[in-house]
């Protein structure tokens, strides 16, 4: 049985979910998106995702296509109708359909679509072994704080990683790590977590935000500063965060083993406390 998808107010079998070739998301990548994890049939950290969506919409001068309550009901319905226990809800809002013209159309109804994906988030085997990553040049635009559907650079980065037998690519600008193609980047040195501060150069990850809160509660220090690729090679530990991976250990960067090639203690602890919260449903979850 196929999935039920959402297209502009309708819940449809996935093969019937269609959008016009004139949709500005298709023609210009004129849209934004969010991906919210689902664990035990509950949305994880829903509110921060919607706060970020609000900001992304505002930055591209696009109105909400529905009320915040309606969007939440849609997310919950998608989980319910697809009987989703573990995985994610993907949702995308574009400026809508109009004849091709770079300028905003005068009258245009935004397109809102969503679908679910199942995935193993809690017992992710990669979390036990750690993953390999490579570094690639960061060739994206400079408004990476907007969660835009313009993802060609991350697609190329992730494909390069895949071809190199790696899980993810960290993007590098002026020798400094910005973030992963679909994750935030961290190293650990002498027990302290180091990650780049927020700016228009990276996406403000919702998992990153939760990690900061949890690390503070547990007395694990996080230093926000730039770090270079060479520093990452010499780190005690490295890891990434994203809604679908939570905290994922990295054991190799560009073929160099990190921390003896095993997930390190700080990373394991952070993943553990993250999972504790996600599975207990005590995070800003919705059900
Ligand atoms: N950075 C980029 C470029 C991303 O695409 C993502 C997620 O897709 C993240 C960071 C992590 O964000 P979150 O933790 O909200 O999933």
């Amino acid at each position: 049985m196929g999935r039920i998808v959402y297209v502009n107010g309708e819940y449809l079998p996935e093969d019937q979910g269609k959008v016009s070739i004139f949709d500005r998301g298709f023609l210009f990548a004129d849209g934004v998106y969010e991906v919210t994890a689902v664990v035990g049939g509950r949305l994880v950290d829903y509110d921060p995702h919607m706060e970020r969506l609000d900001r992304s919409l505002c930055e591209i001068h696009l109105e909400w296509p529905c009320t915040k309550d309606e969007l939440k009901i849609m997310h919950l319905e998608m989980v319910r109708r697809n009987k989703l226990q573990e995985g994610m809800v993907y949702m995308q809002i574009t400026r809508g359909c109009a004849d091709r013209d770079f300028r905003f159309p005068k009258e245009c109804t935004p397109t809102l679509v969503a679908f679910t994906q199942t995935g193993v988030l809690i017992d992710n085997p990669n979390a036990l072994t750690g993953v390999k990553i490579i570094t690639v040049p960061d060739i994206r635009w400079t408004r990476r704080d907007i969660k835009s559907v313009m993802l060609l650079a991350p697609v190329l980065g992730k494909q390069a990683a895949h071809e190199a037998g790696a899980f993810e690519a960290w993007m590098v600008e002026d020798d400094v790590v910005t973030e992963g193609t679909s994750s935030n980047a961290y190293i650990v040195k002498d027990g302290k977590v180091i990650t780049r501060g927020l700016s228009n150069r990276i996406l403000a990850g919702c998992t990153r935000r939760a990690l900061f809160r949890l690390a503070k509660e547990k007395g694990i220090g996080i230093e926000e500063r730039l770090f270079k690729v060479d520093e990452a090679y010499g780190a005690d530990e490295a890891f990434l965060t994203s809604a679908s991976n939570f905290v994922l250990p990295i054991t190799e960067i560009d073929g160099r083993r990190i921390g003896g090639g095993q997930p390190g203690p700080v990373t394991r602890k952070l993943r553990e406390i993250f999972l504790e919260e996600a599975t207990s449903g005590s995070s800003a979850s919705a059900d």
Side-chain angles (χ1 to χ4, degrees):
M1 197 186 76
R3 287 168 292 184
I4 299 295
V5 300
Y6 178 91
V7 183
N8 294 327
E10 285 190 286
Y11 296 93
L12 301 164
E14 63 177 65
D15 56 350
Q16 290 173 33
K18 296 202 167 64
V19 174
S20 161
I21 62 160
F22 291 105
D23 192 274
R24 290 177 62 93
F26 181 64
L27 294 176
F28 298 114
D30 186 3
V32 296
Y33 74 108
E34 276 299 331
V35 180
T36 308
V38 174
V39 171
R42 300 157 71 98
L43 294 156
V44 179
D45 266 349
Y46 179 79
D47 290 344
H49 282 284
M50 294 306 118
E51 260 178 55
R52 186 172 64 190
L53 174 68
D54 190 43
R55 185 176 178 283
S56 293
L57 287 169
C58 180
E59 292 298 314
I60 68 163
H61 313 288
L62 186 52
E63 299 278 317
W64 274 69
C66 57
T67 67
K68 291 181 184 175
D69 284 348
E70 283 165 349
L71 197 65
K72 188 163 185 175
I73 289 167
M74 185 275 278
H75 273 83
L76 295 173
E77 268 303 291
M78 288 298 285
V79 172
R80 192 185 70 78
R81 288 181 189 240
N82 288 288
K83 298 184 177 57
L84 184 64
Q85 278 303 303
E86 202 164 312
M88 43 255 172
V89 179
Y90 175 97
M91 57 130 298
Q92 173 172 316
I93 301 170
T94 72
R95 207 174 302 277
C97 300
D99 200 7
R100 189 174 183 278
D101 182 342
F102 283 78
R103 295 166 300 183
F104 295 174
K106 278 211 174 59
E107 275 176 31
C108 198
T109 311
T111 302
L112 169 57
V113 300
F115 57 83
T116 56
Q117 286 183 319
T118 54
V120 180
L121 273 50
I122 301 296
D123 294 323
N124 182 350
N126 283 335
L128 295 177
T129 55
V131 294
K132 298 175 183 178
I133 64 157
I134 59 165
T135 58
V136 295
D138 197 334
I139 56 170
R140 296 174 300 164
W141 72 332
T142 53
R143 289 305 309 275
R144 303 158 193 163
D145 53 315
I146 301 170
K147 199 163 169 63
S148 148
V149 296
M150 186 176 55
L151 293 173
L152 189 52
V155 163
L156 295 176
K158 195 80 94 180
Q159 180 61 21
H162 175 68
E163 286 170 14
F167 177 80
E168 172 63 305
W170 275 5
M171 296 179 286
V172 177
E173 196 169 54
D174 302 329
D175 233 14
V176 170
V177 175
T178 50
E179 60 186 330
T181 63
S182 60
S183 56
N184 289 117
Y186 309 77
I187 56 172
V188 180
K189 194 73 188 172
D190 301 326
K192 187 185 271 184
V193 177
I194 299 157
T195 194
R196 192 181 175 119
L198 295 181
S199 71
N200 62 347
R201 298 276 157 170
I202 63 166
L203 183 75
C206 294
T207 320
R208 179 188 188 278
R209 177 168 156 177
L211 186 89
F212 270 60
R213 176 173 50 79
L214 291 169
K216 195 169 173 200
E217 278 169 28
K218 300 287 174 187
I220 299 170
I222 301 187
E223 190 182 346
E224 285 183 279
R225 66 164 171 84
L226 305 182
F227 63 89
K228 290 192 171 184
V229 179
D230 271 347
E231 191 178 355
Y233 291 156
D236 299 333
E237 302 176 35
F239 66 93
L240 60 85
T241 64
S242 73
S244 50
N245 287 293
F246 299 135
V247 176
L248 197 62
I250 292 167
T251 45
E252 202 179 292
I253 305 176
D254 291 334
R256 294 164 175 82
R257 292 171 88 193
I258 306 299
Q262 295 295 320
V266 175
T267 308
R268 281 190 277 119
K269 180 77 193 158
L270 286 168
R271 181 170 173 89
E272 186 188 303
I273 56 177
F274 207 96
L275 293 196
E276 230 172 70
E277 187 175 76
T279 50
S280 73
S282 60
S283 61
S285 62
D287 57 5

